[in-house]
Amino acid sequence: MAEERSVSIEVVYRGIFQKTLAQRICRSVVLAARKRGHTGTAFARYGDSPERNGVPAKQFAVVAADELELEASMAKYEPSVVDVSIAVDDTLVKGVESWAWYGRQPIWKPVRANGWLLVTSDKKPDEVLAQTDKAERPYTLGIVPGGASFAGLWVYKDDHTDFRVLGALAKILPQWIALDDAKAASLELAKGDQSAVASVQYGYDATTMRRVKDGEGTSGHEVLQFKKPGWTKMRPGVIVEARKPGERNPYYKKYGARTMRPVVNFDTCIKCTMCWLDCPDECFEVTPEGHYEVVYEACIGCGICAQVCPVKDCIVMVDELKFTDNKDKWQLWKTDHSKYNSWFEDMSGVSADPKKGASGSVPPNANPAANAATNPGADPAANPTTSAGGDE
């Protein structure tokens, strides 16, 4: 690595919710590297519609030994191979489908053999790896302490995620980013705030590494790949069949944009239709009994349903990494109430019995802070669109 002439780093982030964070990480990388005499640049692949909502998007930082090497690296509009990939939301390890036509891709796909995948997470490396696609080549998984930071386009949640990541990069790429340079760059970016320096040191010290071998990870995620004809085989006219009423497009799935997902207590649902009416993605289906079932393949996890639901704990937003599939759950409730309610309680941390909930459980919709302390899996405050969300 010491003899390499350039290093490329990508930051995978959740669209406009984390746009500013991704920009700051890439810029801080270049700033720190320049202090050692290297040259570099930071750039985005797209700057418009693909960054909407929670859709995964990418920004890059390329650092090189000299201008000639940098120009050669920049000739590749999008690096197909990177030395380091950084995911600033641990649910991105379930795979990313940035702009629909690629299909879902493993988060490690562009990482070279023996490269690094850094993930900001409050979970242990093995827990994160359990939700990461099975490795096809070895790499090192680094866990940068901290939850997903929604430092978005309009509101920047300054929790020093960028500085912790910079510290982690100094740990794995000392030949390009020296720790002292990372601290100096952070101090400059933070306009003299010494706490930024402490955060760089914390990222350097606390980031845990786990070597990942071929075959480690999960094969349980849906394989979502498409065959594209290519422009030489396209017909002069293309007919796209419309969906029939009540039918969903089997190829248009939006769950890759999700950090949290709603779980529903059908026993307490009053069939008011509010979730169905307010869902921006029309992901609710009406059941024969008049309940509203979440179609998880269509849900982006915005949390609006949980906000508008008038019944306490009827819809609870839960950390996406707690789930291993996208199967809809109403059939389970229909056939086995007890089993469904156990599943609901296990996922949400909330009692399915409203009497028990009223007498002792912590209602997450009512008190996010208290709930986060007792039940980290169900944390509405982590959702950027809830009333207690990070962007507010």
Side-chain angles (χ1 to χ4, degrees), residues 58-304:
K58 295 185 178 183
Q59 298 225 3
F60 300 90
V62 178
V63 174
D66 52 49
E67 292 292 339
L68 187 62
E69 191 67 39
L70 180 62
E71 288 183 13
S73 298
M74 290 302 296
K76 296 176 287 187
Y77 177 58
E78 177 195 357
S80 58
V81 179
V82 298
D83 298 285
V84 184
S85 182
I86 302 167
V88 287
D89 177 346
D90 57 12
T91 58
L92 288 165
V93 303
K94 298 181 85 169
V96 295
E97 186 184 10
S98 300
W99 299 285
W101 51 76
Y102 290 143
R104 192 187 62 81
Q105 306 289 320
I107 187 68
W108 46 255
K109 185 174 182 180
V111 178
R112 66 169 172 81
N114 299 312
W116 292 270
L117 170 62
L118 296 181
V119 182
T120 58
S121 179
D122 53 9
K123 298 179 177 60
K124 297 178 180 177
D126 283 351
E127 294 178 273
V128 175
L129 183 59
Q131 291 278 19
T132 308
D133 286 274
K134 186 177 291 185
E136 295 181 359
R137 53 188 174 275
Y139 65 90
T140 297
L141 171 65
I143 301 298
V144 184
S149 173
F150 289 97
L153 180 63
W154 299 290
V155 178
Y156 185 70
K157 184 179 181 182
D158 191 7
D159 60 3
H160 287 197
T161 295
D162 49 344
F163 300 136
R164 293 197 303 278
V165 169
L166 188 60
L169 287 169
K171 188 173 187 174
I172 64 176
L173 300 172
Q175 66 275 47
W176 294 105
I177 304 171
L179 180 59
D180 288 344
D181 294 337
K183 290 180 178 178
S186 68
L187 196 61
E188 186 175 331
L189 291 168
K191 299 179 180 178
D193 183 354
Q194 289 290 336
S195 65
V197 175
S199 293
V200 171
Q201 185 67 54
Y202 180 71
Y204 184 91
D205 294 333
T207 296
T208 56
M209 301 294 178
R210 193 225 193 261
R211 186 70 175 162
V212 180
K213 302 176 183 176
D214 287 8
E216 286 194 285
T218 179
S219 57
H221 296 318
E222 180 183 22
V223 176
L224 197 59
Q225 301 291 318
F226 308 103
K227 291 184 178 179
K228 295 172 286 186
W231 69 272
T232 60
K233 298 180 180 178
M234 293 283 281
R235 291 172 291 165
V238 177
I239 298 173
V240 180
E241 293 186 8
R243 294 292 105 190
K244 297 175 182 177
E247 184 182 67
R248 291 181 182 273
N249 188 327
Y251 304 110
Y252 186 44
K253 301 178 181 182
K254 294 174 278 186
Y255 58 81
R258 187 169 61 212
T259 295
M260 306 187 81
R261 74 166 71 177
V263 295
V264 181
N265 185 348
F266 293 113
D267 284 345
T268 59
C269 173
I270 60 173
K271 307 174 184 177
C272 67
T273 76
M274 292 302 292
C275 56
W276 181 81
L277 285 170
D278 284 85
C279 176
D281 287 277
E282 300 180 348
C283 71
F284 283 90
E285 294 282 6
V286 184
T287 71
E289 289 80 9
H291 293 108
Y292 295 90
E293 175 192 22
V294 184
V295 178
Y296 285 125
E297 289 188 342
C299 173
I300 67 168
C302 70
I304 290 176

